Amino acid sequence: EAADAELRAKYPDAPRGKAAVWRMNGLAQELGLTATYFINPSGLDESVTQAGALGSAHDIALLFAHALNYPELFAGTTRTNAALAPLNCPERTAQNTNNALPDISGILMSKTGTTDLAGGNLAVAFETENGHPVVVVVLGATPDGRYDDVKKLVEIARKGISEAPQH
């Protein structure tokens, strides 16, 4: 709601009251995210049968790769808590719900998500010892299991990169 007028000023074709979702879907198309579609800006379920967004692990990884171009926007996702000052609400301290955060060195960004329809989701981007960014995405896990799944995938990725021949 707070971003609607500003988005409509920048994108005159954006529909009134739905500019954020319109732009989110436009960006998904621009980035080639063929399995991603947003129904609402939060991604929370619309109902017991309708998700608020749809996407694949591949698309989320591509979206994260794009988002790595804007590290200042996601710096708060690398900390256990952050002060947030939304445009239309008072400042609050938010606690990061990513329980895997302390166990992932070189974290660049992360995003948790849980809904009844989607299950437990977690995406992280981290930097390896040689400065190579890697994105790991887990979708449809249990709310607690996603943390262990991501930690295992991070460990496997680090091991694979450290054992790969250097050119």
Side-chain angles (χ1 to χ4, degrees), residues 3-4 7 17 20 36 51 73 77 122 127 143 149-150 159 161-163:
D4 195 70
L7 283 169
T36 297
L73 293 178
T77 69
L122 177 57
E127 193 169 66
D149 292 345
V150 161
K159 184 176 179 184
I161 289 171
S162 68
E163 293 178 0

Side-chain angles (χ1 to χ4, degrees), residues 106-143:
I107 191 97
L108 299 169
M109 60 188 286
S110 70
K111 174 66 178 95
T112 60
T114 304
T115 69
D116 290 340
L117 294 174
N121 305 301
L122 177 57
V124 300
F126 63 96
E127 193 169 66
T128 62
E129 290 72 21
N130 64 1
H132 182 73
V134 175
V135 177
V136 171
V137 180
V138 170
L139 300 178
T142 63

Side-chain angles (χ1 to χ4, degrees), residues 4 11-12 14 16-17 20 26 30 36 44 64-66 70 91 100 125 133 143 146 149 162:
D4 195 70
Y11 303 100
R16 183 179 304 277
E30 291 169 26
T36 297
L44 296 176
F64 260 53
H66 173 73
Y70 308 94
E91 183 175 305
R146 61 187 163 165
D149 292 345
S162 68

Side-chain angles (χ1 to χ4, degrees), residues 83-110:
L84 302 177
L87 297 174
N88 58 350
C89 297
E91 183 175 305
R92 297 178 183 203
T93 300
Q95 298 298 318
N96 193 327
T97 60
N98 180 357
N99 294 341
L101 194 62
D103 298 316
I104 303 173
S105 63
I107 191 97
L108 299 169
M109 60 188 286
S110 70

Side-chain angles (χ1 to χ4, degrees), residues 24 38 40-45 51-53 115:
M24 290 163 66
F38 299 97
N40 65 49
S42 71
L44 296 176
D45 295 339
T115 69

